[in-house]
Amino acid sequence: YIKLVLKADDFPLENIFRHLPRNLPFMLDQASISGKADLTMNVEGKLPDSVFTKFRIMFKGNRITYKPLGGYQPDIEGIGLVDTTKIALSDLKIGIKKSTITLAGEIRNYLGGAPQANINIVSSNINAADFLLSDKTTPEEAEKEEVGPFDLRGLTLGGPIDMGSISFAGMAINNLNGTYTLEGNQLRLKELMGSIGEGAFKLNGLVDLGVKGLDYSFNLRLDQAALKNLAQALSPFYQNFVDGTISGTCTLSGNGVTPVRFMKNLKGEGLFTLRDALIKGLPSMGAIASFIRMDGGDGFRFDQAQVQYKLHDGAVDVDGSFTNKDLGLYPAGQIGLDGSLN
């Protein structure tokens, strides 16, 4: 019978990955973790066949390096436990730049070929700019940062998504839940639902992880979501200019995470209806109010508004109508994703 406890504080993880065999499983191929961590290994049982091993690691802001992640290599901190039956995570925080998600849960039967995952996101703070923007100035440099392809063939996962309340680009999303499946290199989101302000949304999506840049398509439905909350996700600056609710449906598809691919390949269309829409504080508001001989000091409120859009070739075609008993505005034209107007 043997009982052994081994501990190592501030152990350099590069020493482990430097000596791993070359014929690793696909999930570990081209992967490494740098930095120092605290390790504990418990070995207990009767020799030679019934020895039970438990491994505990405390990450301290270590950097994960994984080639398919391109220029978006995350940092990790928290606790992981591994034994022969499961991998358990305890407040494991994964971050890219200022965006973080914190995971807790376990993956059972990870050695048996059919892992069963029950991992929850217990908190998150997502800044979209950390994933969509790059400081690379040339297409060649940006291409080196692009994500994918991943080789996850043979890995099948699925189950419920129950994230509760999260923050996405400064926008609060509550009661976030749905289901997902990962099979054949394809990640499917099924009826991912949540609330934005007093309203709600439903999202279905498919992401092909097996191609560079990831092919993705999404279908979004909004039901009286708060305009101010959505504007905050674009920039806190914009939430000062709008109020009201928005409903409608839209589709989005594309390929790419870095700006070059993202803007070039993004396509979509949709129709939205706005209720009690208030537009205020824009620099040109006073001139418009003076021209039509209205006060406009508190902005323009529209009983109903509709906006139809089509997204293609790095630009958005817009056709809309904003009406109240005194005023009707009918914007139409094209907005470039680079900020240009036509």
Side-chain angles (χ1 to χ4, degrees), residues 146-157:
E146 192 55 76
V147 172
F150 295 86
D151 184 6
L152 303 182
R153 292 170 296 178
L155 178 63
T156 300
L157 297 172

Side-chain angles (χ1 to χ4, degrees), residues 2-18:
I2 184 174
K3 184 175 182 179
L4 182 65
V5 178
L6 301 175
K7 291 186 177 181
D9 293 339
D10 292 331
F11 185 85
L13 296 179
E14 293 92 336
N15 290 350
I16 296 177
F17 284 87
R18 188 181 299 127

Side-chain angles (χ1 to χ4, degrees), residues 212-231:
K212 189 162 189 175
L214 313 181
D215 284 342
Y216 40 81
S217 60
F218 299 99
N219 188 299
L220 174 66
R221 181 179 184 87
L222 295 174
D223 184 12
Q224 297 186 44
L227 268 175
K228 182 175 290 188
N229 295 52
L230 291 171

